[in-house]
Amino acid sequence: IGMAEGMTNVDDSLEKDVARLVSWANACREAQAKKSIAVTISTRRLIHIVRTASILNDVKEAVSLCVARFDPLTSEALVKFW
């Protein structure tokens, strides 16, 4: 699935946040490529974050919940990086 297909039911008010999330995910991917972090934010996970943010109306909480599967240090670093 691409981002466009995964975001068909997302609230339009999140448009700026979605752009920021895409930039954040790209920065995470670059950091992972440089071995700065051990994980990357996949497109699927990014779609989950956007959908969760749409439900909660809180992007930071959505990021926190959706990266919780990683170890605590990595999760905390990703949320701080957000």
Side-chain angles (χ1 to χ4, degrees), residues 24 27-28 31 36-39 41 60 63-64 67-68 70-82:
W24 170 76
C28 289
S36 299
I37 60 174
V39 299
I41 301 298
K60 187 173 182 176
V63 169
S64 180
V67 300
F70 301 121
D71 66 86
L73 290 176
T74 302
S75 294
E76 184 179 335
L78 289 169
V79 172
K80 282 185 180 180
F81 191 52
W82 163 247

Side-chain angles (χ1 to χ4, degrees), residues 2-72:
M3 279 295 290
E5 292 88 3
M7 294 181 29
T8 54
N9 295 325
V10 173
D11 186 359
D12 289 338
S13 67
L14 286 175
E15 190 173 326
K16 289 181 183 179
D17 291 323
V18 169
R20 282 186 60 210
L21 282 165
V22 170
S23 295
W24 170 76
N26 286 334
C28 289
R29 291 171 181 166
E30 290 172 12
Q32 195 270 338
K34 294 177 184 177
K35 308 293 186 208
S36 299
I37 60 174
V39 299
T40 189
I41 301 298
S42 67
T43 301
R44 180 174 290 185
R45 185 163 312 281
L46 187 56
I47 290 169
H48 288 216
I49 293 169
V50 170
R51 287 179 177 168
T52 303
S54 180
I55 293 166
L56 299 176
N57 291 320
D58 185 344
V59 179
K60 187 173 182 176
E61 182 66 19
V63 169
S64 180
L65 289 171
C66 291
V67 300
R69 71 167 296 276
F70 301 121
D71 66 86

